[in-house]
Amino acid sequence: MEFSREKRLKARLAGDRRGDLYPHSLQFYLQPPTENISLAEFENFAIDRLKLLKAVENLGVSYVKGSDEYKSRLEREIRKLKFPFKALVEDDYDARRKDHISHFILRLAYCQSEDLRRWFIQQEMDLFRYRFNELTGDLVEKFLKYVNLSYGALTARSLPAVQSDERLLPLLNHLSHSYVGPDYSIQKNIGKISLEHIDALSVKSFPLCMRQLHKALRDNHHLRHGGRMQYGLFLKGIGLTLEQALQFWKSEFIKGKVDADKFDKGYAYSIRHNYGKEGKRTDYTPFSCMKIILSNPPSQGDYHGCPFRYSDPELLKQKLQSYKIPPTGITQILELVKGMHYQLACQKYFQLTHDVDDIGFSLNHPNQYFTESQKLLSGDREVKKEPSEPESFQQKLSSQKSTSSCSIPISSNTEADTELEGLDAYFTED
Ligand code: SF4
């Protein structure tokens, strides 16, 4: 590319408006621009693209990427700066040319350091994702054919992620999908749980994060703040009243280093706080998986957080083995964890501990896990069972003679099951 005014005029006079250069509004060019342009045009194109990328960056931190607000604001910027914005508009040669040239200029400018490259690629990737998602199915096919990429339907949608950091992408995708499920601070089942049921429930119906917290509380007679918040709100969500919660925590803490007086002065306040009886009197909502996975990582001595996210894989494996998860199931779970699919790993855990082939819901919340487990165990929900085998996982569990509290069979007729009779009915409401 050359930048002399004289040559540009010659090019224009020669009728250099070849539509075949830019058959699509979206480009994946392999050749740099070869025409001659003026220094003024060079500068204007570069500044406009820089403005566009700055807008992409600002919108990306102000709005959920892909939301209606994000898209409409980005479209406005693209139109204002005269870049191609609608694939169906055929007569936008100038916009496509500007797109091509300006991209190449900024490549030159932003290839000079690792930081600059990262910034440029991130903004271009977001811009490309937006524009690609705006294409109709026909145009996606046409575009992929033109650029000679052999991707089919769904796979093509992941194209913009090709240049991204694979380790970050799942987390970024998750971040843009905030929790929109039921609010588990509304206690449908308030007062329907006896404290004596909690040990059995923790084995049968708690997700791994809450089972881990419950076990740590029983073992250590104490949980640090992050654990008390996560577990306390979960228990509230499954139906513990404030009075039960105070009794539950106190009875456990006074077995350790905290005496009754210290508990009343130091810990009871925060439990009443969780129930909206102190401070701002907010009725706190149990934490969703997203919140547990993404915020407040556990430190040494903490038991909160999502074990699929934060446990060392070897420790997780040992824990799953101690919970009698079969080796193939453990392998599948660890594979999902490796791919950062923590909620899918948890769904697999649900599937294996409930002996079902299809869990029938998409997991977003620990309290959802509990409710679905109780529905299933009460027989309220039809489930697809694994094909019968000479000795099923359930039978294997039933044949275990372990007295550990972690090995209560899922469906055996134990004393714990008898205690729980009648309770399940409270979790079958919609
Ligand atoms: Fe708990 Fe959700 Fe993690 Fe499962 S995926 S262990 S419910 S935080």
Side-chain angles (χ1 to χ4, degrees), residues 207-210 230 288-290 292-293 305-309 342-347 363-367 369:
L208 201 55
C209 53
M210 301 306 169
Q230 182 177 315
S288 68
C289 293
M290 286 302 301
I292 295 171
I293 289 170
C306 172
F308 297 109
R309 165 69 179 86
Y342 309 119
Q343 283 156 280
L344 293 182
C346 191
Q347 288 185 190
L363 178 74
N364 288 307
H365 203 293
N367 288 80
Y369 183 109

Side-chain angles (χ1 to χ4, degrees), residues 400-408:
Q400 304 282 341
K401 293 276 189 259
S402 166
T403 54
S404 156
S405 64
C406 295
S407 60
I408 294 176

Side-chain angles (χ1 to χ4, degrees), residues 7-154:
K7 284 189 178 174
R8 174 179 167 263
L9 282 176
K10 274 185 198 159
R12 283 284 166 94
L13 286 171
D16 192 16
R17 287 177 63 91
R18 290 169 296 152
D20 58 335
L21 266 183
Y22 307 120
H24 297 276
S25 63
L26 200 58
Q27 299 180 50
F28 225 48
Y29 66 91
L30 297 175
Q31 300 296 327
T34 52
E35 67 172 284
N36 305 314
I37 67 167
S38 71
L39 287 173
E41 198 172 34
F42 178 94
E43 191 178 21
N44 288 340
F45 281 5
I47 288 171
D48 278 359
R49 192 165 197 103
L50 197 51
K51 279 185 190 167
L52 180 59
L53 296 188
K54 289 279 182 197
V56 169
E57 184 184 28
N58 285 338
L59 291 172
V61 295
S62 308
Y63 301 93
V64 175
K65 289 175 190 173
S67 65
D68 289 346
E69 187 74 0
Y70 174 87
K71 289 196 287 189
S72 70
R73 284 176 185 265
L74 187 47
E75 180 181 318
R76 213 177 302 156
E77 289 298 324
I78 292 172
R79 287 163 69 111
K80 194 169 81 186
L81 293 165
K82 296 190 168 45
F83 285 97
F85 83 99
K86 280 284 182 211
L88 290 173
V89 177
E90 293 295 336
D91 186 22
D92 62 353
Y93 171 87
D94 287 332
R96 293 178 190 192
R97 173 176 169 270
K98 177 176 176 176
D99 198 29
H100 183 201
I101 294 172
S102 65
H103 183 276
F104 186 72
I105 295 170
L106 289 205
R107 271 175 70 184
L108 293 175
Y110 279 77
C111 68
Q112 298 172 53
S113 75
E114 185 57 28
D115 282 353
L116 290 175
R117 275 196 291 274
R118 276 179 190 278
W119 183 87
F120 177 66
I121 289 171
Q122 179 63 56
Q123 311 322 321
E124 285 291 347
M125 195 176 73
D126 285 350
L127 179 61
F128 184 87
R129 181 187 291 116
Y130 162 76
R131 292 161 75 183
F132 185 81
N133 287 335
E134 292 297 295
L135 297 182
T136 61
D138 285 354
L139 286 169
V140 167
E141 264 185 49
K142 203 172 149 195
F143 170 71
L144 293 177
K145 200 170 165 197
Y146 177 72
V147 295
N148 201 22
L149 288 174
S150 52
Y151 289 86
L154 286 173

Side-chain angles (χ1 to χ4, degrees), residues 138-419:
D138 285 354
L139 286 169
V140 167
E141 264 185 49
K142 203 172 149 195
F143 170 71
L144 293 177
K145 200 170 165 197
Y146 177 72
V147 295
N148 201 22
L149 288 174
S150 52
Y151 289 86
L154 286 173
T155 312
R157 289 189 195 170
S158 65
L159 183 61
V162 167
Q163 294 176 336
S164 73
D165 185 330
E166 289 179 356
R167 294 165 306 165
L168 292 179
L169 195 64
L171 272 183
L172 293 174
N173 284 341
H174 277 131
L175 272 173
S176 65
H177 294 91
S178 54
Y179 177 68
V180 289
D183 176 0
Y184 288 99
S185 65
I186 301 161
Q187 292 176 271
K188 278 200 227 165
N189 305 303
I190 190 159
K192 305 296 185 191
I193 284 195
S194 299
L195 295 185
E196 310 87 71
H197 290 152
I198 292 181
D199 284 335
L201 284 171
S202 75
V203 176
K204 291 160 65 85
S205 290
F206 282 14
L208 201 55
C209 53
M210 301 306 169
R211 188 172 176 175
Q212 169 173 285
L213 282 163
H214 183 75
K215 186 166 186 324
L217 178 65
R218 288 291 195 226
D219 289 349
N220 306 327
H221 314 299
H222 188 266
L223 280 180
R224 290 166 72 178
H225 180 72
R228 294 200 303 275
M229 283 296 287
Q230 182 177 315
Y231 190 39
L233 289 171
F234 169 79
L235 290 174
K236 177 185 154 188
I238 69 171
L240 246 61
T241 63
L242 173 59
E243 292 67 32
Q244 284 179 309
L246 287 167
Q247 190 189 334
F248 173 75
W249 289 100
K250 187 171 181 175
S251 65
E252 202 57 51
F253 270 48
I254 59 174
K255 288 180 196 158
K257 293 180 184 159
V258 177
D259 63 31
D261 191 45
K262 189 175 174 192
F263 181 88
D264 290 341
K265 286 182 182 148
Y267 296 97
Y269 178 91
S270 67
I271 295 166
R272 285 198 297 272
H273 198 268
N274 277 356
Y275 279 74
K277 304 295 181 198
E278 299 284 359
K280 285 190 285 181
R281 299 191 176 265
T282 308
D283 199 7
Y284 287 96
T285 307
F287 296 167
S288 68
C289 293
M290 286 302 301
K291 186 172 172 72
I292 295 171
I293 289 170
L294 294 172
S295 58
N296 191 20
S299 312
Q300 186 83 18
D302 282 332
Y303 293 90
H304 68 269
C306 172
F308 297 109
R309 165 69 179 86
Y310 292 112
S311 290
D312 174 85
E314 196 50 42
L315 290 179
L316 180 62
K317 185 177 170 184
Q318 287 172 24
K319 184 171 289 180
L320 294 170
Q321 282 168 342
S322 77
Y323 291 171
K324 313 300 178 201
I325 304 294
T328 48
I330 293 176
T331 306
Q332 289 171 316
I333 288 174
L334 292 176
E335 274 302 306
L336 289 166
V337 167
K338 202 169 151 195
M340 301 177 75
H341 305 297
Y342 309 119
Q343 283 156 280
L344 293 182
C346 191
Q347 288 185 190
K348 177 58 76 177
Y349 173 79
F350 185 105
Q351 184 187 328
L352 293 164
T353 52
H354 292 75
D355 194 22
V356 290
D357 202 20
D358 177 5
I359 70 165
F361 65 96
S362 174
L363 178 74
N364 288 307
H365 203 293
N367 288 80
Q368 176 196 21
Y369 183 109
F370 177 79
T371 306
E372 293 294 336
S373 168
Q374 287 290 302
K375 278 186 193 173
L376 204 147
L377 294 174
S378 70
D380 181 58
R381 192 155 65 79
E382 198 179 314
V383 293
K384 200 176 160 192
K385 290 269 182 191
E386 301 269 8
S388 55
E389 290 171 6
E391 187 188 27
S392 70
F393 173 46
Q394 187 181 334
Q395 287 167 325
K396 276 183 196 159
L397 279 177
S398 300
S399 67
Q400 304 282 341
K401 293 276 189 259
S402 166
T403 54
S404 156
S405 64
C406 295
S407 60
I408 294 176
I410 301 305
S411 306
S412 69
N413 192 19
T414 61
E415 192 180 333
D417 281 347
T418 314
E419 279 181 7

